[in-house]
Amino acid sequence: MAHAYTPGLRVTKETDIVKSRILPLKGKVLKKVGDLVNRNDIVAETNLPGNVSIINVVNQLGITAKEIEEFMLKKPGDPVEKGEVIAETKSYFKFLRTRVLAPSTGSIESISDVTGQVLMREPPLPVNIKAFIDGKVQSVIENEGVEVETIATYIQGIFGIGGETSGELVFLAATPQEVLDPKKINDSLAGKVVVGGSFASSEAIKAAIKHKLAGLIVGGIRDADLRDLLGYDLGVAITGHEDLGITVLLTEGFGEIAIAERTFRTLKEREGEIASISGATQIRAGVIRPEIIIPYKAGHVVQRLTHVEEELGMQVGDQIRVIRKPYFGRIGTVKSLPSGLQVVESETKVRVLEVEFADGVTAIIPRANIELIEE
Amino acid sequence: MKPEDINVIIATDCGSTTTKAILIEKVGNEYRQTFRGEAPTTVEAPFEDVTKGVLNSIQEIEELSGRKILDGETIIKPAQDKDGKKVGVDVYISTSSAGGGLQMMVAGAVKSMTGESAQRAALGAGAIVMDVLASNDKRLPHQKIERIRQLRPDMILLSGGTDGGTITHVVELAQYIAAADPKPRLGIGYRLPILYAGNVDAREQIKEVLEEKMDLVIAENIRPSLEKENLFPARQKIQDLFMEHVMQQAPGYKKLMEMTDTAIMPTPGAVGEIMRTIANQYNITVIGVDIGGATTDVFSVFGEIFNRTVSANLGMSYSISNVLAEATLPNIMRWIDIDMDEDDLRDRIKNKMIRPTTIPQSLAELKVEQALCREALRLSFEQHKLLAVGLKGVQRVRSISDVFDQSDSGGSHIDLMKLDLLVGSGGVLSHAPRRQQSMLMMIDAFQPQGVTQIAVDSIFMMPHLGVLAKVNPKAATEVFIKDCLIKIGTCIAPVGAAKIGEKILDYKVTLPGGKIVNESLKFGEMILHPLELGVEVEIELTPTKSFDVGGGRGKVVQTKCEGGVVGLVLDGRGRPISLPKDENERKQKIREWNSVLRIYPEK
């Protein structure tokens, strides 16, 4: 029997966070070790090779591929302006010459006497990487990027859509159970990261996009609404590149599920501060969960630092949350941890645990179907 | 070391999440798999060294078997007895799919010809094909270049043109690739390997275009003529490049390569190897399926023809939402006898996707998961059938008798009536609470015809046995038959259609003691005859005139068939399986079949 691994999402009030900020291609690093950076500072930049366009010169001139060089006015590497003549047929009379014009500004990449095509490359596209969080450059990876370190409140979500963004943390829900009311969303929330309680309807998310909120943090949304919003059925959990104009982060899952009490409380303590959030989720080898990082201001006195790497085993008395039906979303305490395998209703033989819920009811649940609520 | 001198073998498979080790020992005159160990794979931070997980899994075997295999971080070789204690192994072999396996982009001049051949070459070598680029794929040149640039493959296979034919198209593709200058997925600083296996006459031009920018390797043309496909040399080169380039970038693989006695194979490549070995050895046709969390692999061996396909986004956890998206809800619900609200079902499926390690606790959840499995298998098999076809574009000389034969070039190699063995692998099939469930899931998804034996891989050791087949085929086949396969039973399915309740087959089973069972099967009916594992019986099948069990319509078939943990299943649902259109009737039928085959517990 495989070891039942219990995924626990991190909810820590104060922790030491190091974020790698790496370019997709090698380039230039703009910051050095020890530099203080703001979340919007560019830390590294590079140029992606420009787009390529293809010009079928031989077809346009009515010549054979072998003859192409004779008719070319430019050679590989030459810069060209949009509309400039790059090749033409020979004729004594100028008006009888057939000409090939450059479709864009750039340079000649190659001329082929096999295919008769000329490849033109547009100017390079600049790409840069921002710091994403307020902090200090801890290390520099030569030509690739930096690692930024900060002391922050750190919360992992279960699923998100949309990329990195940041803004002031604002609450629209008084309790973790409250469903987000679309009517409360208005222009005063533009650019902010809003905490919305147990559920956001399609209407609420659309209002959030309309009023240009930077981010939305809720317990759950419905899959049917997600499909409606994206315009397609999300088949594989690799997200972060959606272009909705907002980042939505779910702390619990799909359906209406109250934000875990501790997550809500931890966020509430940081209300009004700047939160950096990312919806990027990847649930495959090398799991990436969406995250909320709320750095403390420089000079913050650390009270109780929790290291993210700390692993806690499950013990009687621990708080857990059930993550699959029939008790999905309920929070309880571990009452006992029977060691042998047990048969559950589906006849699956699994390792189980006994849970006691707040109302005193107990249940037997596969260990794979719970997660620890970690301190 | 000669194959016959090998007595003790340790084999590992480094998967993306777990590394599985098995110990194979010669017991008396035969090879048996004796112990297994498992440990988390350690490719990612904080370990970033695959060998740590390998050593941990081997250590578990040491503890269970009492054999001392490791001396620190070294595997002790050869196997020996020291002071009455067993020490060491003779050979260590490994497969790997860690870090997402081998991801390739392939390119060919014509999509349905060299494009398809290139795809078959890459898939057969164990790769996931990210995209197939072709001169006639209807994308504009700049769209092609953009696409190549977006993908970050581990390797590219470029083919195109028959030897002596035109070189324009393949050179053009090479120019697009050069212009896109794609970067490898792993390792920011190394040159992307590109394998050229196209028209020999274009080699010089290809070198000119690509050699400076990429790591160009040349292999024999995969399509030397329209009538001939030559995939083996390219597949071999792909596996070499996988070892020399791609694996070198993965953390700890250099060390692992030094530890193994033979090249590390990509996991699916190894599974294909064992399927082929078995099919050859027993002269049978085989279809195998491995359904994982993210992907589903289908393998088929019909005669000399081996095919493999990967459905990259059909699986039971990470890709489960995609099964819903591609199969659509009505197709999933048709296998279930209970009602469920669509929105609720969608949320349940998404919650499984984001929490992939959870287990169905209630019976309703199990039924939903198994319905999704049927659809994932069905869709993967459909994709397989599309690729497992004969060569297209072949000019055939037709005689007058062929005029009435409408089969075109590019016909399918898959003939379910000729299928001897269907093997399933992957958690949902190997670990279903009841074997009956695995059997019915495979019957519903693949719809085997005539007489077909059905089995599952007990503990997923097919990859290990695939590499072993290269070192010692005898050991590999012995262990495969004795320890790897769990024979579930045999399915007998007449092909045809009739009215519900109409008789479609008379059958006579002669049991080992001489006892004879004489019964008949009606349309829309399923029958289970328990028949123990290892028992072989003679059967005589007499279909009615519009039904076929392998001999043609109405023709009697006499054959032998083997029992299994479930037994003999007679499937009278016709082919394709017909389900009642009326909702209540359908649910009633599903309940009836489930009850006859004892699929689920009954209250």
Side-chain angles (χ1 to χ4, degrees), chain A residues 2 5 24-26 49-52 54 109 112 114-115 117 119 121 144 158-159 222-224 227 233-237 252-255 283-286 289 323-326 328 345-348 350 364 366 368-369 371, chain B residues 16 38 44 141-142 145-146 149 152 167-168 171-172 175-176 179 183 188 205 213 294 312-313 318-319 321-322 325 343-344 346-348 350-363 365-366 369 433-434 601:
Chain A
Y5 121 98
L25 287 177
K26 286 196 176 190
N51 283 327
V52 173
I54 289 142
E109 170 101 356
S112 171
V114 176
T115 61
Q117 298 192 122
L119 269 62
R121 193 177 287 278
E144 293 183 29
I158 189 80
F159 178 81
R222 293 223 83 155
D223 178 47
R227 185 181 54 168
D233 224 328
L234 184 81
V236 187
E252 315 302 316
F254 288 87
I283 310 168
R284 288 213 180 190
R289 292 287 186 186
I323 55 173
R324 184 149 182 175
K325 294 218 171 189
F328 186 59
E345 188 200 304
S346 63
E347 293 191 330
T348 314
V350 285
I364 296 288
N369 292 0
E371 65 189 16
Chain B
S16 15
E38 203 172 282
E44 281 154 29
H142 72 270
I145 292 173
E146 191 55 39
R149 188 182 283 171
R152 294 186 78 149
I167 62 170
T168 322
V171 172
E172 188 180 84
Q175 285 170 349
Y176 297 159
K183 298 291 170 223
I188 206 164
Q205 282 90 338
K213 289 196 168 167
N313 289 324
Y318 310 111
S319 310
S321 285
N322 204 49
D343 282 355
D344 180 46
R346 296 186 72 93
D347 288 345
R348 279 179 196 236
K350 275 283 185 305
N351 281 323
K352 165 84 184 184
M353 172 184 84
I354 58 178
R355 292 182 160 104
T357 52
T358 59
I359 291 164
Q361 178 172 6
S362 67
L363 196 55
E365 293 257 303
L366 182 74
E369 243 179 74
R434 295 186 181 192

Side-chain angles (χ1 to χ4, degrees), chain B residues 539-560:
Chain B
I539 48 168
E540 188 181 298
L541 307 166
T542 315
T544 54
K545 64 177 190 235
S546 51
F547 279 81
D548 180 5
V549 277
R553 284 186 176 194
K555 297 275 166 58
V556 179
V557 168
Q558 283 180 320
T559 182
K560 284 181 179 166

Side-chain angles (χ1 to χ4, degrees), chain B residues 202-220:
Chain B
R203 283 182 182 176
E204 283 313 308
Q205 282 90 338
I206 296 288
K207 273 187 197 163
E208 248 171 60
V209 178
L210 291 171
E211 211 163 35
E212 253 180 46
K213 289 196 168 167
M214 305 168 88
D215 214 320
L216 178 68
V217 176
I218 289 179
E220 285 172 43

Side-chain angles (χ1 to χ4, degrees), chain B residues 494-540:
Chain B
V495 175
K499 280 189 189 142
I500 294 276
E502 216 172 275
K503 189 175 91 174
I504 57 172
L505 177 81
D506 286 317
Y507 61 95
K508 190 166 104 183
V509 184
T510 311
L511 295 165
K515 194 185 159 204
I516 292 175
V517 179
N518 242 327
E519 281 179 32
S520 56
L521 175 72
K522 296 190 195 91
F523 193 73
E525 183 185 34
M526 289 192 95
I527 298 174
L528 170 67
H529 286 286
L531 190 62
E532 272 174 44
L533 194 64
V535 176
E536 198 178 65
V537 291
E538 305 254 355
I539 48 168
E540 188 181 298

Side-chain angles (χ1 to χ4, degrees), chain A residues 19-287:
Chain A
K19 292 254 54 151
S20 291
R21 313 297 299 159
I22 305 290
L23 290 166
L25 287 177
K26 286 196 176 190
K28 193 175 163 198
V29 178
L30 304 174
K31 299 285 177 187
K32 57 184 193 302
V33 176
D35 281 357
L36 289 177
V37 289
N38 175 282
R39 59 194 177 278
N40 292 319
D41 286 352
I42 293 169
V43 293
E45 62 184 15
T46 188
N47 286 316
L48 283 180
N51 283 327
V52 173
S53 42
I54 289 142
I55 314 153
N56 199 328
V57 171
V58 290
N59 271 7
Q60 291 188 37
L61 297 186
I63 57 172
T64 65
K66 287 268 170 270
E67 303 169 313
I68 189 167
E69 306 241 348
E70 288 174 42
F71 296 89
M72 286 299 297
L73 302 179
K74 302 278 178 188
K75 54 183 194 304
D78 283 356
V80 289
E81 292 291 325
K82 186 176 177 177
E84 201 178 337
V85 181
I86 58 165
E88 65 179 5
T89 51
K90 290 165 189 157
S91 170
Y92 184 75
F93 301 105
K94 211 173 175 183
F95 65 91
L96 282 177
R97 290 179 199 161
T98 308
R99 289 172 160 178
V100 179
L101 309 180
S104 56
T105 300
S107 61
I108 302 288
E109 170 101 356
S110 69
I111 300 166
S112 171
D113 61 5
V114 176
T115 61
Q117 298 192 122
V118 170
L119 269 62
M120 246 197 71
R121 193 177 287 278
E122 289 171 21
L125 307 163
V127 177
N128 56 51
I129 293 284
K130 289 181 178 170
F132 178 50
I133 51 174
D134 296 349
K136 192 159 91 176
V137 175
Q138 186 212 43
S139 62
V140 168
I141 302 141
E142 211 178 326
N143 303 325
E144 293 183 29
V146 299
E147 288 187 308
V148 180
E149 187 181 19
T150 189
I151 302 289
T153 297
Y154 181 73
I155 295 170
Q156 281 180 320
I158 189 80
F159 178 81
I161 44 170
E164 295 174 345
T165 184
S166 58
E168 185 193 334
L169 192 68
V170 178
F171 275 68
L172 279 188
T175 67
Q177 291 78 23
E178 200 176 310
V179 171
L180 179 60
D181 181 0
K183 291 191 199 84
K184 289 186 181 168
I185 300 170
N186 55 42
D187 283 343
S188 73
L189 296 170
K192 295 185 177 168
V193 174
V194 172
V195 180
S198 63
F199 180 71
S201 62
S202 168
E203 197 189 347
I205 302 170
K206 283 176 181 159
I209 295 169
K210 185 179 157 210
H211 295 286
K212 298 195 164 59
L213 271 62
L216 191 57
I217 299 166
V218 287
I221 58 171
R222 293 223 83 155
D223 178 47
D225 293 341
L226 177 67
R227 185 181 54 168
D228 176 39
L229 209 64
L230 294 173
Y232 57 89
D233 224 328
L234 184 81
V236 187
I238 297 174
T239 67
H241 296 99
E242 297 74 20
D243 194 12
L244 294 174
I246 193 168
T247 294
V248 181
L249 193 147
L250 313 186
T251 61
E252 315 302 316
F254 288 87
E256 183 184 327
I257 322 154
I259 297 182
E261 188 64 42
R262 237 177 64 77
T263 310
F264 193 82
R265 202 175 59 230
T266 309
L267 283 169
K268 189 75 186 166
E269 283 174 25
R270 303 300 311 277
E271 190 174 4
E273 308 273 349
I274 296 295
S276 295
I277 67 169
S278 164
T281 311
Q282 180 183 313
I283 310 168
R284 288 213 180 190
V287 175

